[in-house]
């Protein structure tokens, strides 16, 4: 009897998508877990000259050189404040090499079903909306779900010369 309920739980879990919930300031953001390669503690970042303002530099992670960007600066928030909870999430997209993103804190992994995710809409077409794929309802809170490929690959008008 337990085997049947275990199979049903697996089927229910497979209907949803898993997201790593991170904190930037007071906001919570979700990153699709399929893109997350690794989560590392904050470490020494070597600056790279003439990079976009939101690229902090590169790190050496087990012999691999990985560029690191600040989501706070990319989103136009206050600069990063490094604490013991600060983490660098290593993201790997299909066609891209790895890239690190700095977050204030990694909170948890949640599974969201299609019914608990709404499309991101706003009356103010700000820059941030282009980086969101939706808004997830979890418990009593809302999680802004990042379109991670738009965040990493997306171009800003200031970048084009």
């Amino acid at each position: 009897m337990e085997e049947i309920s275990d199979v049903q739980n697996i089927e229910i879990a497979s209907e949803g998508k898993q997201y790593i919930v991170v904190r930037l300031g007071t906001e919570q953001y979700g990153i699709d877990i399929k893109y997350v390669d690794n989560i590392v503690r904050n470490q020494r970042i070597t600056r790279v000259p003439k990079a976009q303002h939101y690229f902090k530099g590169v790190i050496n992670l087990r012999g691999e050189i990985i560029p690191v960007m600040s989501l706070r600066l990319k989103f136009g928030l206050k600069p990063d404040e490094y604490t013991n909870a600060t983490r660098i999430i290593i993201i790997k997209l299909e066609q891209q090499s790895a890239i690190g993103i700095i977050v204030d804190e990694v909170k948890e992994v949640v599974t969201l079903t299609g019914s608990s995710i709404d499309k991101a809409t706003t009356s103010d077409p700000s820059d941030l909306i282009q980086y969101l794929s939706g808004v997830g309802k979890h418990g009593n809170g809302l999680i802004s779900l990042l379109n991670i490929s738009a965040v990493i690959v997306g171009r800003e008008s200031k970048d084009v010369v």
Side-chain angles (χ1 to χ4, degrees):
M1 194 69 169
E2 281 185 338
E3 291 176 23
I4 293 173
S5 65
D6 288 344
V7 170
Q8 289 171 340
N9 288 340
I10 290 170
E11 289 172 7
I12 291 169
S14 68
E15 290 176 13
K17 264 186 159 179
Q18 287 192 312
Y19 294 89
I20 289 190
V21 178
V22 300
R23 184 178 58 80
L24 286 180
T26 58
E27 298 293 318
Q28 292 191 111
Y29 295 92
I31 301 171
D32 192 331
I33 202 164
K34 73 179 181 184
Y35 298 118
V36 176
D37 184 59
N38 205 340
I39 300 172
V40 296
R41 290 187 178 275
N42 192 29
Q43 54 187 278
R44 186 174 180 278
I45 299 173
T46 304
R47 301 240 351 117
V48 175
K50 298 184 181 181
Q52 291 96 335
H53 72 283
Y54 51 84
F55 273 101
K56 302 299 272 182
V58 295
I59 60 171
N60 183 346
L61 184 65
R62 293 183 285 281
E64 185 178 0
I65 303 301
I66 299 176
V68 176
M69 68 186 287
S70 166
L71 279 186
R72 281 177 160 267
L73 294 178
K74 177 89 174 189
F75 293 168
L77 303 172
K78 291 188 284 186
D80 298 287
E81 296 175 16
Y82 298 101
T83 66
N84 286 336
T86 302
R87 296 290 184 265
I88 299 173
I89 299 179
I90 309 301
I91 302 290
K92 281 203 176 170
L93 297 176
E94 289 85 18
Q95 307 88 348
Q96 304 281 324
S97 57
I99 187 166
I101 55 174
I102 301 170
V103 298
D104 293 347
E105 179 183 12
V106 174
K107 299 194 58 98
E108 61 184 328
V109 175
V110 299
T111 302
L112 299 175
T113 60
S115 63
S116 64
I117 298 174
D118 292 332
K119 185 162 175 45
T121 58
T122 181
S123 58
D124 175 30
S126 67
D127 289 337
L128 188 56
I129 196 77
Q130 69 183 332
Y131 301 128
L132 300 180
S133 62
V135 177
K137 293 174 263 188
H138 185 303
N140 294 332
L142 297 176
I143 302 167
S144 299
L145 304 176
L146 293 177
N147 177 347
I148 204 68
S149 60
V151 171
I152 292 173
V153 179
R155 299 282 181 244
E156 294 181 7
S157 58
K158 293 180 247 178
D159 294 344
V160 180
V161 177

